[in-house]
Amino acid sequence: MTFPGAAEPFRYAESNTFHAKRHDLTRPGATRVTSEVSFTNVCSWRPWMEMGDRPGHLTATGIGRQNATPASLPPAFVEATMLRRPEVLKNPSAILQPLWDAKG
């Protein structure tokens, strides 16, 4: 992807690994299952960093869970989120839907 004023195109690569239980995957009618996720990416400097033509890149790693139930969230996360951003837990789709609908 190119950005105005950038000498080089922005490059991005990622790898995601999902682990799910076989009995969940083969359950009749299953359309979503809980899976453990690991993530790694490597990308160019983000344009907002204004790194110019300096050599280098960014990398990130993460772990998590996809399609888990709200009951499986860590209690400390739930408590802190309810205190600071209760709308995140009360109606997460209201926050996420505009991101999913956004035209990049």
Side-chain angles (χ1 to χ4, degrees):
M1 151 184 303
T2 58
F3 290 93
E8 298 286 328
F10 181 80
R11 303 200 184 280
Y12 182 94
E14 73 178 32
S15 174
N16 294 278
T17 304
F18 299 84
H19 293 272
K21 295 180 180 173
R22 181 181 298 188
H23 72 271
D24 289 340
L25 294 168
T26 59
R27 189 178 68 240
T31 58
R32 296 181 179 194
V33 299
T34 298
S35 58
E36 304 297 323
V37 181
S38 62
F39 161 87
T40 303
N41 80 0
V42 177
C43 65
S44 305
W45 298 123
R46 302 286 183 174
W48 57 263
M49 297 176 78
E50 300 180 0
M51 297 299 285
D53 61 356
R54 291 180 185 91
H57 61 273
L58 300 170
T59 186
T61 60
I63 59 170
R65 188 176 301 163
Q66 177 175 312
N67 293 321
T69 65
S72 71
L73 294 171
F77 169 82
V78 173
E79 182 180 337
T81 304
M82 287 303 290
L83 182 67
R84 294 174 182 88
R85 298 283 309 272
E87 71 278 10
V88 170
L89 295 177
K90 290 180 181 172
N91 189 2
S93 64
I95 295 166
L96 295 173
Q97 196 64 50
L99 299 173
W100 292 330
D101 292 342
K103 304 288 186 234

